[in-house]
Amino acid sequence: MIEEIGRTTEGDLIINVGPQHPATHGVLHLVITLNGETIKKVEPHLGYIHRSIEKMCESLSYRQFIYVTSRMDYLSSHINNHGCALCVEKGLQIEVPLRAQYIRVIMDELTRIASHELWWGAMAMDLGAFTPFFHAFRERETITDIMEKTCGARLTMNYMVPGGVMAELHPDFQKDVKHFIQLYKSKFEEYNELVTGNVIFQNRMKSVGVISKEDAISYGCSGPVGRASGVICDIRKLYPYDIYNKVEFDEITEKEGDSFARYVVRLKEMQQSIRIIEQLLDNIPEGDFQAKTKAVLKLPKGEFYQRVETARGELGVYIVSEGGTTPYRIKFRSPGFSNLSALEHMVKGLKIGDLVAAMGSLDLVIPDIDR
Amino acid sequence: MLNEDLKLKLTEILPTIIFEEGGEWLNAFIPPEELVSFVEQLRYSEGLDFDYLFCLTCIDWKSHFTMVYHFSSTIHRHNIVVKAKLDRNNPEIETVSDIWRTAEMLEREVYDLFGVKFLHHPDLRRLIMPDDWEGWPLRKDFEDPVNMIKL
Amino acid sequence: MFSLENITRIIHEWLNSHFNPTFALLSEFILVGLASITLFAVLGLSLVFMERKVAAVMQIRLGPNRVGPKGIFQTTADTLKLLMKEGLVPDGADKFLFTLAPFVVMIVAMLILAPIAFAKNFQIWDINIGVLYLSAVSSLSVIGILMAGWASNNKYSLLGAMRSGAQIVSYELSAGLSVLSIVVMTGSLSIRDIILSQENGWWIFKAHIPALISFVIFIIAVTAETNRAPFDMAEAESELTAGFHTEYSGMRFALFFLAEYINIFIVCAIGATLFFGGWMPLHIGHWQGFNHIMDYIPSSIWFLGKTIGLIFLIMWFRWTFPRLRIDQLLNLEWKYLLPISMFNLLLMTLVAIMGWHF
């Protein structure tokens, strides 16, 4: 997996990390220049999973392109779909029924928890502890089972459509989610004991991969990466969509900007998601789950931008329409792209072991970056 | 700052600015030669402080290109969209990567997919496509008989 | 009651009554050799299986359960597979050293087996410098590791072997000092004397605080010496391929693999002997009745139980903690463990002189 591919003129070693990785991350290829064990330069090579989604969407209708966007950041696929649906609704000025809004927010938060669980297991595995991976997947399986009953799929859900959601909730939904919340609360203490409080983990994550607040803003970091450096960038609070302006939750920020701060931010975000779900679960109003829309959607001429908060950061959906049935140009502003550009700044001067910890704490999903 | 005040302030900085109506945010068209001086003012002047570049892209209108920059301010919480029209046969524009570091990779992506040259960019080469790829994929006239299927 | 020393006594008498003494001695050598090789094979297989099952239980899954009843033949199947694989020697590798390295590691493991007492009067060789012999011979395994790294003709194997070598040599100091603190209490280096001195209670209870500190340092040091997690940076897959045994395949890899588990058994056996009394049952002072009841359980069961308990502890570490970075690892030894163990040795000596132990 690590092999030397050359030497620079000063005798520094150039090695490859990837594109195949033992732990998730996807196909990330980094070319690192090392002086002994110290990193001097990190260069990501992208494009191994580029499927030209943006060009594909130019020939898909506004109802069809939702299916393709689930596959961008597949760990938070509901939120991707949500963003695209919201953008189309913004263009057509559709009013989404209240029931659909509640369902969308609950599904979003469940997806956020599932994505952070996988991140937690994979990060612990990168650092060498193999057990948390299995514990994390046990919780994630409960969530994907809930999703499967309602949406029919476990990973790429395609559930949110322009106008609302595609189908009615499964009758067991509320019971299952309540059971999950109880299970989760009892396990969260275990997570803190097993990983967060462990001295070895803390020593490997503290002061590793520090990025200051100004640098985070300059590199465009959003989501937990930005918030760990003190940037206030939670889209759910700044530009609320659906009913986020009616639920109470905290935006978690830390000041240090190192890997441990990013870790703590994500762990606390999981708790806030549980808080949101608890507020909404018992109060889902009756009504339609989808607004009545025309069969063929045509956005008026113009440009529409919608931002949503995925588990990784700010996803932007920018649709340029010429009035036809397919978009003229779609641009997806992916959070992982900007977070990855900060990687070199973070790890310059550190050792290879620190690169692994910093990469794990950034929570990169490469299909999101390559699109 | 409200849109009206922004309009006044920006017209002060660059008199040749044109505003487009009917968008969610203020859309400003500027000539491409003025880009760097204009965005420097956006970044550093009092009251504007647009320190967050969150989207950088290009649109291929078949007769010309339009570069689109979305800025936001973490201090005042206002947003603006800056657009510049480029000539399709020779698309060139100055880089903004020394003001916002995120532009480095975003501009590489635009170069890779559209062929827009960014002057004084520290490292302009292909990002997503293989290094020896011919052609600019996201342009409207891009033909690839092997990989593209026309319905 | 079943006891291993009876078996050896019967065999010894039978051989001596039927053949002349030299021949009897020679055949005893051969028998002991065969027995230790069998022990190794059985130990290696069972320990690997135990590790996989323990890991599975901690990770809420089942572990191997297909091959044989409850999966007990899994390791046999794995060893057969390794034997049938092609044993490659990389181009440009030093062929002699490359082939010799796994054997050096294996031989060292077998040599250390000699002074360990498995049951009452069931010891291959009760040498009067038992503990010193153990420390000295276990240091030789570093040579095997460095040989493997060098002879592979692979930059990353060499790096991994250097790291392993540095780690093992550093942690031997702390392990040696912990062992020495028990020797101070016993007054003798011979294994038999150490066990017999625990007749009225195990050292971990008799020499309370210093022995506890010694034990903790000993366990940490031997986990590092055997290259087990959390100290397995030299073989971490996500960082440096597989360390010094990257280029090995087939039978040679099987030898390294088995030798690692034998080493774990041996260091746990040493730990059990020094701190928990080896084959000595749990006696409390002079409570005759209690001691008499404890004596009913055969000594070999006591020994096995304690060793397996310590092995379980070491396996528990692997599946709970993440890895330490190489500089944190060496920091831990030179800046923390070594000063603490030196201070502890002084403390133990003070306790021994003043008689502040039970």
Side-chain angles (χ1 to χ4, degrees):
Chain A
M1 205 212 76
I2 297 188
E3 18 138 346
E4 176 184 342
I5 55 175
R7 284 192 172 257
T8 62
T9 40
E10 292 92 38
D12 297 330
L13 211 59
I14 304 183
I15 64 175
N16 270 334
V17 175
Q20 284 102 357
H21 265 263
T24 45
H25 299 314
V27 279
L28 179 61
H29 181 192
L30 295 175
V31 176
I32 309 179
T33 309
L34 288 181
N35 182 359
E37 272 233 15
T38 319
I39 298 177
K40 278 174 64 168
K41 193 164 112 121
V42 173
E43 207 188 292
H45 283 209
L46 304 174
Y48 286 88
I49 193 163
H50 176 65
R51 294 146 297 176
S52 59
I53 288 186
E54 293 177 4
K55 186 129 183 132
M56 258 202 278
C57 290
E58 289 173 12
S59 52
L60 295 172
S61 76
Y62 288 105
R63 285 199 191 275
Q64 288 174 320
F65 86 104
I66 307 273
Y67 291 83
V68 181
T69 53
S70 303
R71 282 134 178 94
M72 281 195 321
D73 177 2
Y74 52 77
L75 288 180
S76 34
S77 58
H78 266 146
I79 313 184
N80 289 352
N81 292 342
H82 195 173
C84 298
L86 281 172
C87 200
V88 174
E89 284 154 17
K90 193 183 261 196
L92 292 172
Q93 315 265 324
I94 300 177
E95 179 71 37
V96 179
L98 208 54
R99 183 179 173 81
Q101 289 186 15
Y102 271 71
I103 297 177
R104 277 178 171 182
V105 171
I106 296 179
M107 287 293 188
D108 268 3
E109 295 306 317
L110 280 174
T111 313
R112 198 181 311 274
I113 298 176
S115 166
H116 284 331
E117 288 275 356
L118 196 151
W119 158 80
W120 182 75
M123 172 145 195
M125 193 150 93
D126 274 348
L127 292 179
F130 303 97
T131 317
F133 191 72
F134 294 92
H135 290 253
F137 266 77
R138 177 187 55 189
E139 263 72 81
R140 202 180 132 84
E141 278 302 299
T142 325
I143 298 184
T144 45
D145 281 343
I146 297 176
M147 299 284 187
E148 195 188 0
K149 280 189 183 166
T150 306
C151 318
R154 285 156 53 96
L155 193 67
T156 52
M157 263 71 96
N158 310 320
Y159 183 56
M160 311 209 182
V161 287
V165 289
M166 192 181 283
E168 184 54 80
L169 285 178
H170 194 269
D172 283 341
F173 184 75
Q174 278 171 318
K175 180 168 67 82
D176 283 337
V177 176
K178 282 205 176 97
H179 173 74
F180 166 73
I181 294 181
Q182 238 177 323
L183 179 77
Y184 184 77
K185 283 190 172 157
S186 64
K187 297 296 175 199
F188 196 75
E189 273 316 303
E190 256 183 43
Y191 293 171
N192 276 339
E193 278 174 22
L194 190 59
V195 178
T196 321
N198 189 318
V199 171
I200 306 182
F201 269 115
Q202 289 187 351
N203 276 335
R204 282 211 58 187
M205 288 201 282
K206 283 201 170 147
S207 312
V208 166
V210 180
I211 186 163
S212 64
K213 186 170 170 187
E214 292 74 33
D215 282 332
I217 299 178
S218 176
Y219 277 101
C221 297
S222 54
V225 176
R227 289 201 278 283
S229 302
V231 181
I232 303 202
C233 55
D234 194 340
I235 306 293
R236 298 174 291 171
K237 284 240 184 246
L238 292 174
Y239 307 99
Y241 46 94
D242 278 354
I243 47 165
Y244 274 114
N245 46 3
K246 299 215 185 61
V247 282
E248 261 186 45
F249 63 101
D250 300 326
E251 177 173 352
I252 317 282
T253 48
E254 299 276 329
K255 280 198 295 295
E256 294 89 25
D258 58 9
S259 299
F260 193 65
R262 294 190 272 274
Y263 175 91
V264 167
V265 164
R266 287 198 183 96
L267 238 54
K268 289 191 177 156
E269 265 185 19
M270 285 204 265
Q271 285 183 308
Q272 294 301 314
S273 294
I274 292 278
R275 202 171 144 194
I276 297 179
I277 298 180
E278 277 178 335
Q279 286 172 36
L280 297 178
L281 190 62
D282 287 322
N283 308 328
I284 306 182
E286 300 300 325
D288 279 333
F289 54 85
Q290 195 179 42
K292 291 263 178 301
T293 50
K294 292 214 249 312
V296 176
L297 299 173
K298 279 193 192 182
L299 251 64
K301 197 160 145 87
E303 301 173 355
F304 311 99
Y305 193 97
Q306 174 67 40
R307 328 154 103 136
V308 285
E309 174 86 10
T310 65
R312 266 139 213 97
E314 173 194 332
L315 174 75
V317 182
Y318 178 51
I319 299 185
V320 176
S321 161
E322 281 276 272
T325 50
T326 64
Y328 188 78
R329 163 99 171 104
I330 284 197
K331 156 89 181 163
F332 296 106
R333 185 266 179 203
S334 87
F337 198 82
S338 310
N339 290 349
L340 177 62
S341 57
L343 180 65
E344 175 167 9
H345 178 83
M346 276 188 211
V347 296
K348 232 184 213 154
L350 300 179
K351 315 256 185 296
I352 298 194
D354 296 329
L355 171 74
V356 174
M359 248 188 355
S361 72
L362 277 183
D363 195 8
L364 302 169
V365 169
I366 311 303
D368 181 34
I369 300 179
D370 279 352
R371 274 162 282 130
Chain B
M1 224 195 258
L2 295 172
N3 279 356
E4 298 306 321
D5 303 325
L6 268 177
K7 270 193 199 172
L8 286 172
K9 186 134 189 192
L10 293 174
T11 329
E12 264 173 57
I13 299 176
L14 187 68
T16 52
I17 204 170
I18 309 172
F19 291 105
E20 195 182 73
E21 298 307 317
E24 186 186 350
W25 300 315
L26 198 59
N27 282 331
F29 271 93
I30 59 170
E33 304 80 40
E34 312 284 336
L35 179 74
V36 176
S37 48
F38 180 64
V39 296
E40 258 178 4
Q41 291 289 343
L42 281 184
R43 171 75 174 90
Y44 295 115
S45 17
E46 262 318 302
L48 291 181
D49 292 311
F50 283 102
D51 50 0
Y52 197 59
L53 166 64
F54 61 90
C55 188
L56 198 164
T57 184
C58 178
I59 309 179
D60 179 7
W61 303 105
K62 305 197 174 92
S63 52
H64 59 271
F65 283 158
T66 309
M67 286 294 299
V68 181
Y69 298 78
H70 284 73
F71 296 108
S72 166
S73 167
T74 54
I75 308 172
H76 306 292
R77 298 286 165 211
H78 45 220
N79 304 303
I80 191 175
V81 182
V82 174
K83 298 189 185 176
K85 198 161 141 177
L86 296 179
D87 177 24
R88 202 165 193 278
N89 299 325
N90 186 19
E92 272 182 356
I93 194 169
E94 279 283 331
T95 179
V96 298
S97 56
D98 26 12
I99 314 177
W100 291 275
R101 304 297 303 277
T102 180
E104 226 175 286
M105 269 174 81
L106 286 167
E107 286 175 352
R108 270 181 73 182
E109 189 194 352
V110 172
Y111 168 70
D112 188 5
L113 297 173
F114 283 95
V116 175
K117 285 210 184 24
F118 290 93
L119 307 166
H120 306 121
H121 190 276
D123 184 19
L124 195 67
R125 50 197 165 100
R126 287 203 180 260
L127 182 68
I128 301 182
M129 307 306 289
D131 289 334
D132 51 359
W133 189 265
E134 301 278 335
W136 313 110
L138 237 55
R139 286 195 185 185
K140 291 289 176 185
D141 57 356
F142 178 72
E143 295 281 330
D144 188 352
V146 174
N147 297 319
M148 270 170 73
I149 308 175
K150 284 216 185 316
L151 296 168
Chain C
M1 185 76 37
F2 153 83
S3 100
L4 288 170
E5 54 170 332
N6 278 340
I7 299 179
T8 46
R9 200 173 35 86
I10 293 172
I11 297 180
H12 183 75
E13 281 170 10
W14 187 86
L15 277 174
N16 271 348
S17 57
H18 283 98
F19 304 104
N20 64 346
T22 337
F23 187 73
L25 194 60
L26 270 176
S27 41
E28 274 179 5
F29 279 177
I30 296 175
L31 275 174
V32 165
L34 284 176
S36 35
I37 295 179
T38 324
L39 176 69
F40 263 35
V42 167
L43 260 183
L45 296 181
S46 350
L47 280 182
V48 173
F49 179 70
M50 175 181 166
E51 161 117 60
R52 288 174 74 159
K53 278 291 195 189
V54 163
V57 163
M58 291 191 182
Q59 293 171 352
I60 21 174
R61 50 187 182 93
L62 285 176
N65 61 350
R66 296 263 176 229
V67 187
K70 297 221 180 288
I72 51 180
F73 294 131
Q74 178 71 44
T75 334
T76 329
D78 279 338
T79 319
L80 274 175
K81 172 200 81 169
L82 277 174
L83 287 176
M84 294 198 285
K85 277 202 178 187
E86 179 187 357
L88 298 167
V89 177
D91 191 31
D94 188 337
K95 203 158 168 163
F96 176 62
L97 286 181
F98 190 79
T99 325
L100 189 59
F103 289 106
V104 167
V105 179
M106 248 332 214
I107 290 173
V108 164
M110 285 200 183
L111 281 175
I112 304 186
L113 200 62
I116 295 184
F118 291 91
K120 192 164 179 176
N121 293 330
F122 194 71
Q123 208 176 353
I124 299 180
W125 185 25
D126 181 31
I127 187 175
N128 59 339
I129 51 161
V131 168
L132 178 62
Y133 171 88
L134 287 172
S135 305
V137 173
S138 64
S139 315
L140 290 177
S141 62
V142 181
I143 300 183
I145 293 178
L146 289 176
M147 245 199 258
W150 172 258
S152 298
N153 193 30
N154 177 345
K155 199 173 326 226
Y156 294 96
S157 291
L158 187 59
L159 255 178
M162 290 293 162
R163 282 186 181 171
S164 273
Q167 186 182 320
I168 294 181
V169 162
S170 319
Y171 278 90
E172 265 170 15
L173 284 168
S174 293
L177 283 175
S178 319
V179 164
L180 209 56
S181 60
I182 293 294
V183 170
V184 159
M185 295 301 290
T186 325
S188 159
L189 286 168
S190 134
I191 298 273
R192 188 182 160 80
D193 286 346
I194 292 180
I195 297 182
L196 285 178
S197 70
Q198 299 186 55
E199 199 158 352
N200 58 343
W202 297 337
W203 279 123
I204 200 163
F205 300 125
K206 285 206 291 189
H208 33 89
I209 300 170
L212 202 56
I213 302 179
S214 272
F215 177 62
V216 168
I217 297 181
F218 181 78
I219 285 288
I220 299 177
V222 295
T223 320
E225 274 209 53
T226 48
N227 268 334
R228 294 274 296 176
F231 304 104
D232 62 350
M233 182 53 102
E235 0 177 294
E237 321 121 10
S238 47
E239 301 181 35
L240 205 60
T241 46
F244 60 88
H245 55 71
T246 318
E247 300 284 345
Y248 283 86
S249 57
M251 181 65 197
R252 303 189 188 104
F253 179 71
L255 279 178
F256 268 126
F257 189 59
L258 284 179
E260 180 181 327
Y261 285 96
I262 308 284
N263 268 330
I264 296 176
F265 176 82
I266 290 172
V267 297
C268 287
I270 298 175
T273 309
L274 288 169
F275 295 97
F276 290 100
W279 50 256
M280 185 65 71
L282 174 63
H283 289 163
I284 302 183
H286 299 288
W287 295 5
Q288 299 285 24
F290 179 76
N291 293 350
H292 209 62
I293 299 177
M294 288 288 130
D295 281 343
Y296 271 115
I297 306 174
S299 50
S300 47
I301 306 278
W302 277 109
F303 174 78
L304 269 179
K306 290 170 204 175
T307 313
I308 292 185
L310 286 181
I311 294 180
F312 177 74
L313 186 67
I314 292 193
M315 287 186 181
W316 199 354
F317 284 168
R318 179 175 185 185
W319 301 109
T320 313
F321 296 129
R323 254 173 234 131
L324 262 67
R325 226 170 43 209
I326 187 82
D327 58 320
Q328 288 171 338
L329 214 150
L330 294 172
N331 258 354
L332 177 67
E333 160 62 19
W334 292 98
K335 290 191 193 167
Y336 297 101
L337 286 187
L338 191 61
I340 297 180
S341 43
M342 285 200 276
F343 170 71
N344 188 47
L345 183 63
L346 285 175
L347 188 62
M348 185 72 104
T349 320
L350 192 65
V351 164
I353 294 177
M354 303 298 260
W356 289 336
H357 58 93
F358 294 113

